[in-house]
Amino acid sequence: MSELSQRISALSPERRQLLEQLRAKKRAAEKAPLSEPFSLVSEEDRAKLPPDLADAYPLTAVQLGMLYHMELSPDGSSTPTYHNVNSFHLKSRFDSGAFEAAVARVVARHPIMRTAFDLTRYSEPLQLVYRTAYLSIEVDDLRGLDAEEGQRRIDEFVLEENRRLVDLSVPPLIHYRVHRRTEDTFQLTLTEPHAISDGWSTMSTLAEIFEDYGALARGEAPPERQPLATTYRDFVFLERQILASPQARDFWRSKLDELEPERLVRWPRMPGAGPQFERPGADHKPSITFDPWVLLGLERLARQAGAPLKSVLLAAHCKVMGISSGRTDVVTGLTTHGRLTEADGEQVRGLFLNTLPFRLDLGSGSWLELVERTFAGELEVMPYRRYPLAAIQRLRGGQVLFESAFSYLHFHTVHNVMRSGSVDVFGHGNSDLSVTHFPLAATFSRDPVKEVAITLVLEKNDPGLAFEQVDLLMGYYRRVIESMAAEPLAHHDVHCYLSDAEIEQALSVSRPIRPRVAELLHERFTARAAAKPRAIAVVDPGSTEPESPAPATRLTYGRLDELSSRLAGRLRALGVGPEVRVGLLLPRSLDIPIAILGVLKAGGCYVPMDPAYPPARLEFLLADSGAKVLVTSGDLEASLPLDRLGNELAIIRLDQGRERRPPAKKLEQRRESGATPDNAAYVIYTSGSTGQPKGVVITHASAIRLFDSTDRWFGFDSKDVWTLFHSFAFDFSVWEIWGALLYGGRLVVVPYLTSRSPAAFRELLAREKVTVLNQTPSAFRQLIRAEGEADEEAAPLALRSVVFGGEALELQTLAPWFARYGDGATRPGPRLVNMYGITETTVHVTYRPLGQADLASTGSAIGGPIPDLALLLVDPQLHPVPVAVPGELLVGGAGLARGYLGRPALTAERFVPDPFGSEPGARLYRSGDLARRLPDGEIEYLGRIDHQVKIRGFRIELGENEAALVTQPQVAE
Ligand code: AMP
Ligand code: MG
């Protein structure tokens, strides 16, 4: 005996009776309605109400929203939004008298069975509850037909019902239709606007009818049912109350702060992409039923998390939304109900649903932990769940906050009745769920007949979502949910949830063929020089600037070979050989190719140093690269604090034939260079986020294969004229210099001032008959302008190829160029090509020829990888991302730098082991660039993940500027 009952039994009979009375009063008080009939209707409206009403109250915001979307459905649409048709195949004799009596009891007991809407006649839309209403049940007798014909008639009827909207002004708004199939079976179809009833209400009402019908048909008395103490009016009251609550408003306002609204990823419609978007007669609602072991696993996970099954499924849904959007901070619509749960709250019928913005940071813990956080998130919004979505959206200026919605249906009370034997439900067929207005709705349900199974139905209500996308989504749900059920303690981001086919597709762009490189850069040059020594190799057009006039100069292949060999000899004498770095501090001049070739011939590796750099940066480059020798000219070395650099540094002055030798110790002399293709050819520095630039080490093999692997696209030859437009400290110059010298072509060194003047540069291009132009899009835009402004008589351009790189290309900016020169495909004219690339991957990674047709596209297409490179788009765990989802671009293959000079930690961070690599030791470079792959395989550049920016093609990590700024005493932050 409990303590309480012990105490009660110890009381005198009078005291006990009094106590009983008090307890009854308390129970009654708990059941008391929150509002009085008609109390929510204004005086004026009340005066206009018809006399035969039991009650009247306004519609809720959610009801109005549903009616609005229903009205918005296109006329004659086969599936109007929020118009529900449910059809059940029942195993029971049909007794029309008993059935009508059972329905009449339900109509008498539940106000919603007597409710109609009036949307116009009152100061606000009202629901009118009549004292009586008659629900007539039409019966079609199909018993004479064969089963197939009977089914066809039913299907036809259901289809018609789908189209036929209910007249909202006549109660009841819920319609039943019976089709007698055989002596022992019949079909019951019900049609209703969703605004009058939610799934729970509909199923509970049916269960009540079946139970009463079962008794009546057996000639028994139906079960006694208590009249209801609360009504739907009380729910309307609560909605009004929460709408007036500043606390609720503040809660939602703070929840919306910094919330990034959900936008589903939509595949762009490609020409000829028909079947992805159009599927005649296709089911808009693919579904999947999970094996029973999955439900057992999910229930175990729910128990472990101390959460309901719904939270497990919601966590799965959020995870899938994360996979399919590339977001880790997910927002979705959570369908909840605001039913009054005290007293007989769950007996009351009506529409109690609301869809709330639900935000979940997926993080990286276990499934268990994710479910716990999901449940905590649900608990947090619970007290405010009756705040209608429309009002929440108004707090953000009416903005749509999410495009996907989650709901979980489990009509547990109904199951009991359905299985109690009065009526046996065979199937719950045809159109079992309503169409919502959300572009994508995921509805999980326990099968009302076979409780053991969990079913997911995906509903696509947006023609912009491709059918294939929804099919793929279904696969993510399946793999995610199976993983949750099988390994609840596994980290939810260790697996890739894409299908094998998707992974296959993602990796198909990344099966690099390994080139065999047996040559060194300068060897190939020397072969060209030997073949045509008198061909012009380099031109310095000089300058006609009054301040700094300079004569034009040029070098033949023979002369360049000779001068560079001479320098190589001097370098070798200073100990230069494989992996010995030589700084080159040189102005734009013929000295650059001489010095580069000289260093390579000596077996060394060149470190370009642009004299325009500040002295401190030059000093850093020399020190960081550990250069043993500096090659320079004129008085450039004056800008260096040579005394600080110490005596270790040997200096060769190209214009003076003099050199400074370190007096201290004599370096070992070398005769043969001994370099192999795997030795470093150059170190180019790029901006670094930690405040210091970092040196990227590239081998001969990487540089040579760049040309071999792109040769079939360009077919460069000795007739080509290239410009050295870019600073030789910028890796675009590698392409420019070797593009000329490896093919026996001609390199025109662009004087600095000319490179800064589009008009002068255009003039140079014409005069020197340049055929290959490499530009950042921003420089090319200026050139297009200069081209537009050039004289009528100006010499024409001789361009054959224009290669873009270094920064994102806005295709539309090419329109004036195409208008003038065509795209090389339709009429002769230069071919334009976009090449995405990175210093760490040897200049270029991708190739994308551009044509006039591309002007229509808004993205920045970068095409596919050079055949000996791998290209992958991945999430932060390095799993491939789905089509059209932004991912980080990873590059593998033969072009990868050896790493960052003297920075093993940074190298390990950016050059990661390739988990898919077919070769041992294969690496992938994490570019920090965001891109997406379109359904046709095209790759579109999207921007940066980090704070790196490009200014006229110059790569700048803002962290470096920040680090420099905070060293200033005046700058705190
Ligand atoms: P850099 O190492 O100086 O060549 O800079 C490499 C970066 O430039 C890449 O990580 C991209 O952010 C950007 N980039 C290079 N080429 C392209 C391109 N064709 N389109 C868009 N961005 C590009
Ligand atoms: Mg580049």
Side-chain angles (χ1 to χ4, degrees), residues 70 83 115-117 164-175 193:
M70 194 167 89
H83 168 67
T115 296
F117 296 155
R164 198 181 59 85
L165 293 183
V166 172
D167 181 349
L168 298 177
S169 65
V170 183
L173 303 186
I174 297 165
H175 297 262

Side-chain angles (χ1 to χ4, degrees), residues 776-932:
T776 58
S778 42
F780 193 69
R781 271 200 300 278
Q782 298 186 16
L783 187 65
I784 292 180
R785 195 164 333 125
E787 179 63 16
E789 288 162 2
D791 247 309
E792 284 287 305
E793 290 101 77
L797 299 179
L799 291 175
R800 218 159 64 78
S801 308
V802 179
V803 176
F804 298 110
E807 65 188 10
L809 174 65
E810 283 169 48
L811 288 158
Q812 291 73 20
T813 61
L814 302 178
W817 178 272
F818 283 138
R820 182 148 182 180
Y821 286 101
D823 57 13
T826 40
R827 60 192 151 109
R831 297 300 312 259
L832 271 53
V833 174
N834 188 14
M835 295 186 86
Y836 160 85
I838 321 158
T839 308
E840 284 87 336
T841 60
T842 318
V843 192
H844 297 314
V845 172
T846 68
Y847 171 87
R848 173 64 158 78
L850 304 167
Q852 241 144 337
D854 293 316
L855 292 178
S857 97
T858 50
S860 189
I862 57 173
I866 295 173
D868 63 2
L869 294 181
L871 200 152
L872 265 181
L873 292 172
V874 298
D875 68 14
Q877 282 68 43
L878 306 189
H879 299 312
V881 291
V883 166
V885 171
E888 184 180 5
L889 232 159
L890 263 50
V891 183
L896 254 60
R898 212 193 260 168
Y900 297 113
L901 187 63
R903 303 251 203 301
L906 184 62
T907 302
E909 185 188 318
R910 306 302 300 184
F911 295 82
V912 297
D914 178 356
F916 314 98
S918 38
E919 285 184 37
R923 296 172 307 153
L924 290 170
Y925 173 68
R926 302 190 71 155
S927 70
D929 286 314
L930 273 180
R932 60 176 191 157

Side-chain angles (χ1 to χ4, degrees), residues 57-195:
Y57 37 85
L59 278 91
T60 66
V62 179
Q63 285 181 302
L64 287 172
M66 281 191 178
L67 293 176
Y68 170 80
H69 286 290
M70 194 167 89
E71 289 303 321
L72 270 187
S73 307
D75 270 343
S77 147
S78 59
T79 47
T81 311
Y82 298 121
H83 168 67
N84 298 352
V85 181
N86 281 270
S87 196
F88 299 89
H89 183 176
L90 307 167
K91 185 168 168 25
S92 164
R93 263 191 67 78
F94 183 68
D95 174 336
S96 75
F99 198 80
E100 291 211 4
V103 168
R105 278 171 58 87
V106 160
V107 171
R109 183 163 183 250
H110 293 288
I112 62 155
M113 303 301 285
R114 289 175 269 121
T115 296
F117 296 155
D118 192 311
L119 304 180
T120 53
R121 247 182 318 159
Y122 301 94
S123 65
E124 60 187 325
L126 291 185
Q127 20 203 346
L128 311 178
V129 184
Y130 289 84
R131 271 190 244 282
T132 56
Y134 176 60
L135 203 165
S136 77
I137 297 160
E138 276 179 63
V139 181
D140 280 350
D141 195 344
L142 308 179
R143 282 176 295 176
L145 305 175
D146 64 46
E148 211 171 292
E149 175 62 8
Q151 185 63 50
R152 201 188 55 75
R153 295 270 286 271
I154 291 168
D155 291 346
E156 222 168 63
F157 172 76
V158 169
L159 223 65
E160 265 168 43
E161 282 296 279
N162 265 324
R163 284 203 193 97
R164 198 181 59 85
L165 293 183
V166 172
D167 181 349
L168 298 177
S169 65
V170 183
L173 303 186
I174 297 165
H175 297 262
Y176 293 149
R177 177 71 157 261
V178 168
H179 289 88
R180 298 193 65 174
R181 287 171 167 265
T182 64
E183 282 310 319
D184 310 311
T185 61
F186 66 94
Q187 185 87 15
L188 176 66
T189 304
L190 47 122
T191 306
E192 63 197 359
H194 200 340

Side-chain angles (χ1 to χ4, degrees), residues 730-732 806 837-839 843 950:
F730 185 34
D731 85 333
F732 226 161
I838 321 158
T839 308
V843 192
K950 281 279 186 153

